[in-house]
Amino acid sequence: MLPRTAIVLSFLALTGCMVGPKYHKPVPPVPASFKEGGTPNSGTPDIAYSDWWRVFNDPVLAQLETVADAANQDIKLAMARVEQAEAASRVARSFLFPTISLGASASRTREALNRPNNGNTGGRAATYNDFQLPAFLSYEVDAWGRVRHSVEAANATQQATAADLRFVRLAVEANVAMDYYSLRETDAERDVLDATVRDMQGAVDLTTNRFRGGLSSELEVKQAETLLNQTMAQAQALDVQRAQLEHAIAVLEGKAASDFSIPRSPFNGLPPVIPSGLPAELLARRPDIAEVERFVAAANAEIGVAKTAALPHISLTGIAGFESTNMSSLFGWQNGIASLAASAITPVFTGGRTKAGVDQAWAVYRQTLAQYQKTVLTAYQEVEDQLAALHILAGEAQSTADAVTTAQQAETIALNRFRNGLVSYLDVIYAQTALLANQRTATQIVGQRMVATVVLVKALGGGWLGVPAPRAGTTPANQSNQPATVVSK
């Protein structure tokens, strides 16, 4: 009768009902198109999220990204979390199978003469050996789906950590690119300041000579020297900023800041055009959206786990092996032992603990669902932000370029009028200050456009598959300067 019961219970484990809500993937609000426009189809080659930086066609950036992917500590932490989640998933799956254990024991026992019920030894004291070699079996019959829901939750969590690894990798790669182009912009801005220092040094020499010739006052000499020193101080301040960016890149590369450097190489190019696609495509591209959606699935499965706590817990236990008072006859067939039992335990009173567990699981589910909706909305915001930034920066770049042209003309006019004694040196100072400010702004906009493009790629999920990427060795279309080489000291 007992083996038949075991068969019935095992059948229940395979075909029993699954309590708890069935998972339905959440459907967030998806706009038809991006408010800021974007370019759903463009001539930019399609790229994969694993090597999206190739769209910039910059060998130095590609080298930095490759090293960061292999050595960054945040990526290694995320990889370890994936391994941990994968192991947890295997642990959850193991409960679908029975647990079998092997044991062995040996004992020698002397019983008292006056012990109760000593009739088996003729009223004499007894001393005997007991050798046992049993195998134990235990198995939870998953009649209500507790174990299967646990497996679902563990698998969803594992998938979430895999998406988190991709998101961490994307964030690290984006940070490398943002710091890299910020550093290149700093180099270009330093070139502007160096050129301005040279021009201002010429202005100092001019005012000094005019002062010696009695054509200008000592005040004008001091004004020229003051402006020169201020500009030199601005250049030195940029060196601090550059050093900090270089150190930040070193950490992203998994290297000590003391052992890493990037030679100076100004950048003054144009960013590539990034196809933004449609808002609906973000749901498939963004790893953080995929991560949170998997956490929603895990929370949904945990509701089923919590509901099974109110149902009977059915289990099978068994033992089989050998027992004898003599080692030589331990494995004789007549010394075999076996036992199989089934049990069911149903909670009757838990002080509200079971219902509280279900309510807690539902609350966690609602939290993850709200986080999913927020993540999707944030993704749309980030794309719109960068599309707007790129659109506005393009117009600002043109306006600033015009301002630089007119400022250069104003400086030339002011210097000529000063040489002819028509104006004071204060007019030259105003012209030079305006020119420097506009030149620095123009250079900063170049860097801002590159950084905004990187952030847009990150906001889009890091890449899009399709047309092959550019062939190696092609001439960069957006890089006007020869790339520098990364140096590890």
Side-chain angles (χ1 to χ4, degrees), residues 42 75 117 121 123 171 237 247 291 301 331 420 448 474:
S42 73
I75 293 177
N117 192 24
T121 56
H247 299 162
E291 177 187 2
F331 295 102
N420 294 326
Q448 291 170 8
T474 55

Side-chain angles (χ1 to χ4, degrees), residues 165-373:
L165 170 60
R166 180 183 159 193
F167 181 72
V168 170
R169 191 183 300 275
L170 174 61
V172 169
E173 293 165 351
N175 286 336
V176 169
M178 288 188 288
D179 288 346
Y180 170 74
Y181 282 116
S182 296
L183 183 143
R184 291 296 183 227
E185 181 272 318
T186 302
D187 289 344
E189 198 171 348
R190 179 62 194 262
D191 270 9
V192 169
L193 285 166
D194 289 346
T196 304
V197 165
R198 289 191 295 269
D199 291 342
M200 289 182 174
Q201 183 61 59
V204 169
D205 295 340
L206 173 63
T207 54
T208 301
N209 292 333
R210 287 174 59 84
F211 170 66
R212 290 171 180 170
L215 299 176
S216 62
S217 66
E218 185 179 7
L219 174 61
E220 292 175 328
V221 175
K222 297 304 179 182
Q223 289 174 332
E225 290 177 346
T226 299
L227 188 58
L228 172 63
N229 291 329
Q230 288 177 342
T231 306
M232 292 175 64
Q234 293 177 34
Q236 292 165 346
L238 279 179
D239 291 341
V240 175
Q241 180 179 338
R242 189 190 194 282
Q244 292 173 345
L245 287 168
E246 190 176 72
H247 299 162
I249 295 174
V251 174
L252 292 170
E253 298 290 291
K255 298 180 179 179
S258 304
D259 300 328
F260 179 84
S261 65
I262 300 178
R264 182 171 162 180
S265 179
F267 178 87
N268 189 27
L270 295 175
V273 177
I274 304 300
S276 60
L278 298 174
E281 295 171 346
L282 281 185
L283 303 183
R285 287 182 181 178
R286 293 267 301 216
D288 54 337
I289 294 177
E291 177 187 2
V292 179
E293 185 275 327
R294 288 290 81 201
F295 280 132
V296 175
N300 184 84
E302 291 292 351
I303 295 173
V305 174
K307 283 180 174 291
T308 61
L311 300 172
H313 182 85
I314 304 171
S315 61
L316 298 175
T317 57
I319 181 173
F322 299 93
E323 182 177 18
S324 175
T325 59
N326 193 329
M327 280 291 294
S328 61
S329 62
L330 177 62
F331 295 102
W333 67 269
Q334 69 276 21
N335 290 325
I337 56 175
S339 172
L340 183 63
S343 65
I345 301 176
T346 302
V348 177
F349 177 74
T350 60
R353 183 169 59 252
T354 301
K355 184 180 183 303
V358 175
D359 292 342
Q360 183 181 31
W362 272 110
V364 172
Y365 173 78
R366 288 191 292 271
Q367 289 177 42
T368 56
L369 185 60
Q371 184 62 47
Y372 175 79
Q373 300 284 355

